[in-house]
Amino acid sequence: MDRVNATTPSASSADDPARAAFAALRTPEGAQLLAELRDHDPADELATATRLRRAHPAELVSAALGQARLRQRAAVKFGAEDAYRMYFTPNGVEQATRTSVAAHRAARFAGLGVRSVADLCCGIGGDAIALARAGISVLAVDRDPLTAEVARANAEALGLADLIEVRCADVTEIDTAPYDAVFVDPARRGGRGRIFDPEAYSPPLSWATAAALKAPRAALKIAPGIPHEAIGREAEAEWISDGGDVKEAVLWYGEGFAPGAFRATLLPSGATLSAPAPLPAPPVGPVGRYLYEPDGAVIRAHLVADLVERCGGRLVDETIAYITSDEPYSSPYVAGYEITDELPFSMKRLKALLRERQIGVLTVKKRGSAVEPEELRRRMKLSGPGSATVFLTRVAGAPTMLIGHPLG
Ligand SMILES: C[S@@+](CC[C@H](N)C(=O)[O-])C[C@H]1O[C@@H](n2cnc3c(N)ncnc32)[C@H](O)[C@@H]1O
């Protein structure tokens, strides 16, 4: 069920089957069922449900099985230890900030002396939990009654209830004046899936920006694909990746942040790169001995030019984020490769070369090519003890294959 558009908090959980089911899960019988389901195999769900229904009410069993499924999904974001103590809703787990990113954000606030935050649109509490764990007291607001109840239960389950006050309300009605900072994470999913227009967020980005500008300090979580034109010059924009995948972007406002700058932060290391936007276009030139693939956060933050300068290199094509150089360069922001061959794109030539080199394992990377890596690997009929990486890309506008292997 999509709860993003629910507006009026209903008076009691008795009116709402989802809230009644959640309340039942928090009884001793519900807690016992959830504990029993801690390690259950989802493939055996039918048999487990039949067995549990012999001793427990059917609705409670189905609520517990649903919650167990959500906890399994949530373990990826929150880690198993927290996820199996917490509660979730389907939307809540989908939209929650993963612990690594929320902790990074909370640490930036805490590092600037922020002691209290109004978390506007708290969901099931992903950010509120990280803020509280950084020693910050949080007013966590969500207008959806079930979501607010789940956030409150999570604060209690993790021993953070003293630091997190959960309020079920519309964020537009909250007076944020008493707080050192405001954090807004608008809902970006509607009834028909992901929302791309920042004005269709709930609340809209323009409202969130106005709320941010009123506060001494603020952070707004936004989609990493936000058009750069939609970012005001008052904000520092930060793109965050975790394990090489870009997870989100955040706009920072107020003292201690750098208005107009773009930043890329890589987790788990916390390596962070920042420059005033926009940077001048980097040089373009022939493929050298080394090729560098920037982290996605660096690409999204348009900081590739900064890396090109640092490594004394150039781009292989003005539209492609592959950097090349003649000297080896080591940096947390790039994955480096030594290039052994540069060929015009041709499946036939690639197949012959791979056969000659006895390549049995091929990693396919691509930028600016429509070829499907799986299809390419299938057509290569790989065999042999060797391994290689092929880059399908454009060099000075021409479809090109670069073959090599990872550095160090
Ligand atoms: C993206 S989720 C927040 C996720 C949260 N930061 C976390 O890590 O768990 C957005 C939440 O905003 C709530 N929301 C949307 N519009 C709201 C409004 N006008 N007032 C209060 N809450 C709102 C939705 O119910 C949803 O739970």
Side-chain angles (χ1 to χ4, degrees):
M1 177 171 57
D2 175 55
R3 311 197 122 254
V4 164
N5 295 320
T7 44
T8 338
S10 58
S12 87
S13 64
D15 312 335
D16 179 343
R19 287 172 69 198
F22 179 60
L25 282 181
R26 301 198 69 217
T27 61
E29 188 181 5
Q32 184 208 325
L33 267 176
L34 282 174
E36 267 188 59
L37 290 168
R38 168 77 166 81
D39 295 314
H40 96 283
D41 181 352
D44 295 338
E45 195 169 293
L46 210 59
T48 309
T50 310
R51 178 174 57 78
L52 293 175
R53 277 197 206 107
R54 287 189 205 116
H56 303 280
E59 308 82 67
L60 183 58
V61 171
S62 98
L65 280 165
Q67 191 57 234
R69 253 179 266 130
L70 293 175
R71 284 177 165 185
Q72 265 167 5
R73 269 168 61 196
V76 178
K77 286 187 172 178
F78 291 92
E81 199 183 321
D82 279 354
Y84 284 97
R85 288 157 76 194
M86 292 169 68
Y87 301 91
F88 300 94
T89 62
N91 273 329
V93 73
E94 190 69 41
Q95 300 189 9
T97 306
R98 63 186 48 238
T99 299
S100 55
V101 177
H104 163 72
R105 218 170 9 231
R108 279 198 85 181
F109 267 147
L112 290 168
V114 167
R115 308 297 306 151
S116 62
V117 168
D119 176 1
L120 307 180
C121 297
C122 68
I124 55 90
D127 284 283
I129 290 163
L131 289 163
R133 282 181 168 161
I136 294 170
S137 47
V138 185
L139 171 69
V141 184
D142 205 288
R143 71 179 174 187
D144 178 57
L146 174 62
T147 304
E149 273 164 28
V150 171
R152 196 171 293 120
N154 287 337
E156 284 167 18
L158 299 176
L160 298 167
D162 287 351
L163 281 165
I164 302 176
E165 178 200 338
V166 178
R167 200 176 296 169
C168 183
D170 194 294
V171 293
T172 57
E173 289 156 14
I174 300 294
D175 174 15
T176 60
Y179 299 90
D180 292 346
V182 159
F183 171 64
V184 196
D185 180 4
R188 287 186 261 132
R189 278 178 178 275
R192 293 195 202 96
R194 223 176 263 271
I195 295 169
F196 294 100
D197 173 8
E199 282 313 294
Y201 292 178
S202 176
L205 187 62
S206 52
W207 181 88
T209 310
L213 289 170
K214 269 197 291 182
R217 292 191 175 92
L220 308 187
K221 177 172 147 184
I222 49 168
I226 188 167
H228 284 205
E229 314 79 77
I231 299 172
R233 295 292 298 173
E234 320 84 5
E236 174 188 315
E238 179 179 23
W239 280 261
I240 303 167
S241 66
D242 192 356
D245 292 330
V246 182
K247 296 299 178 192
E248 66 177 62
V250 54
L251 303 181
W252 296 99
Y253 299 82
E255 208 184 320
F257 303 109
F262 284 4
R263 174 182 294 278
T265 298
L266 280 53
L267 299 177
S269 72
T272 189
L273 184 71
S274 156
L279 291 171
V284 179
V287 177
R289 182 163 168 193
Y290 301 98
L291 190 80
Y292 300 100
E293 188 184 27
D295 185 274
V298 173
I299 297 175
R300 294 275 194 176
H302 289 191
L303 293 173
V304 174
D306 187 67
L307 286 181
V308 171
E309 197 181 319
R310 281 166 195 249
C311 77
R314 53 205 177 261
L315 294 183
V316 300
D317 184 285
E318 63 179 357
T319 61
I320 303 279
Y322 281 141
I323 303 170
T324 187
S325 76
D326 306 313
E327 301 298 329
Y329 169 71
S330 166
S331 149
Y333 306 107
V334 294
Y337 297 83
E338 184 167 7
I339 298 300
T340 50
D341 303 84
E342 178 182 353
L343 308 170
F345 180 81
S346 153
M347 291 270 198
K348 216 168 141 190
R349 285 185 71 178
L350 181 63
K351 194 171 172 181
L353 186 141
L354 297 175
R355 184 174 303 152
E356 182 193 308
R357 308 243 170 108
Q358 299 186 25
I359 302 295
V361 179
L362 184 68
T363 304
V364 183
K365 304 248 172 199
K366 61 169 203 158
R367 283 195 191 287
S369 164
V371 174
E372 285 302 328
E374 265 323 305
E375 168 67 4
L376 178 108
R377 253 194 296 268
R378 198 181 55 73
R379 288 180 57 182
M380 293 299 112
K381 302 209 167 36
L382 301 164
S383 94
S387 61
T389 302
V390 60
F391 295 86
L392 308 175
T393 188
R394 283 195 304 274
V395 171
T400 303
M401 306 182 301
L402 303 173
I403 294 135
H405 52 262
L407 285 175

